[in-house]
Amino acid sequence: MMNTPLAHSPHSHADSPGNQAPESTHEPRSQRNTNAARGPAAARGHVRERILTVAHQAFSERDFPSVTVRSIAAEAGCDPGLISYYFGSKAGLFREAMSLPNNPVEIISQAFGDGRSGTGERVLLAVMDLWETAAAHNNFSMFVASLLNSEPALQMFRTWIDVNLATPLMQRMRGSGENRRVRFELAFSQILGLVATRYVYGMQPLASLPKAALASSYGPSIDATLAGRYHA
């Protein structure tokens, strides 16, 4: 719910240039220099850190939609393709530059499991943990605010959520396509509503309840919605 709106997977450390095999010491020096100049391995971690520094300042000063990959690349003095190489997308760059939790889509997906009994409790705990992660709250709130102020960005975010989270999770659920989507979206809205009530509006006593107690109390309601045991 937190990573952003392009249909690319967030950056994986396995793709990091730091994990690439070192250049062969037997390769001619001229060939090594040519390869280094062409590829992302040229500056190894230096270009990546420069991109993160520029991106952090840009995202701190401007809203998410107004910051472009090209503008960040230009200020960092690198090719825009390197941002996709290192971070996967603008969303992945935002996550790392603003110290958001690692891959929230993956964390929620793992918590969702098979979508059956216990899913609601697990997902609620995962979402609350993500929200409360150190250094994440203010940055994520800023990100959400920027989405709400831009219809094009919000539409992109909807598409990104559907492709990377909703559709894959719905495929794990029982039942037919359209009914399954309705059940998933109802459960999704329950979670969003609870998070907004607890963290955005700060309503008491909901805002002060221990996470485990809140998840165990409300989780079964989400399970019932996912299973279709609700009254429309």
Side-chain angles (χ1 to χ4, degrees):
M1 294 171 39
M2 312 203 346
N3 275 250
T4 95
L6 298 181
H8 292 285
S9 298
H11 172 67
S12 168
H13 292 295
D15 295 330
S16 171
N19 292 327
Q20 295 177 348
E23 299 176 47
S24 169
T25 56
H26 299 293
E27 187 179 19
R29 180 181 298 274
S30 60
Q31 183 66 38
R32 293 204 304 271
N33 291 340
T34 301
N35 290 341
R38 284 201 306 262
R44 302 244 176 221
H46 299 297
V47 173
R48 190 176 190 278
E49 290 306 314
R50 189 161 68 245
I51 292 170
L52 283 174
T53 298
V54 170
H56 181 84
Q57 182 173 353
F59 287 126
S60 297
E61 295 175 350
R62 307 196 299 276
D63 61 11
F64 183 86
S66 68
V67 178
T68 66
V69 167
R70 288 189 176 278
S71 67
I72 292 173
E75 192 170 346
C78 70
D79 189 278
L82 288 181
I83 292 179
S84 294
Y85 177 84
Y86 285 115
F87 307 100
S89 65
K90 188 170 81 166
L93 175 59
F94 179 88
R95 177 178 59 77
E96 290 208 36
M98 305 306 285
S99 301
L100 294 182
N102 289 331
N103 202 346
V105 168
E106 182 179 338
I107 291 171
I108 293 172
S109 179
Q110 290 177 350
F112 191 86
D114 60 7
R116 299 177 188 177
S117 181
T119 294
E121 182 174 355
R122 292 192 306 271
V123 171
L124 275 177
L125 280 173
V127 170
M128 288 188 285
D129 285 342
L130 285 169
W131 190 284
E132 295 178 7
T133 297
H137 180 83
N138 289 336
N139 293 323
F140 184 68
S141 297
M142 179 182 67
F143 173 57
V144 171
S146 72
L147 288 177
L148 294 177
N149 289 326
S150 170
E151 180 58 35
L154 187 58
Q155 181 57 45
M156 289 177 66
F157 183 72
R158 290 192 196 105
T159 301
W160 181 78
I161 284 290
D162 184 66
V163 170
N164 291 279
L165 189 66
T167 297
L169 295 187
M170 281 188 288
Q171 292 172 351
R172 304 181 194 176
M173 296 168 56
R174 295 178 176 179
S176 59
E178 194 57 38
N179 177 264
R180 192 162 50 186
R181 175 172 287 276
V182 170
R183 288 184 281 127
F184 180 86
E185 291 184 356
L186 283 171
F188 188 72
S189 67
Q190 285 179 272
I191 294 170
L192 287 180
L194 186 144
V195 168
T197 303
R198 178 179 174 89
Y199 295 108
V200 178
Y201 297 107
M203 289 185 177
Q204 297 294 350
L206 190 64
S208 299
L209 285 176
K211 287 184 294 184
L214 180 57
S216 64
S217 296
Y218 198 68
S221 177
I222 295 172
D223 288 345
T225 300
L226 289 170
R229 299 191 304 270
Y230 60 87
H231 299 286

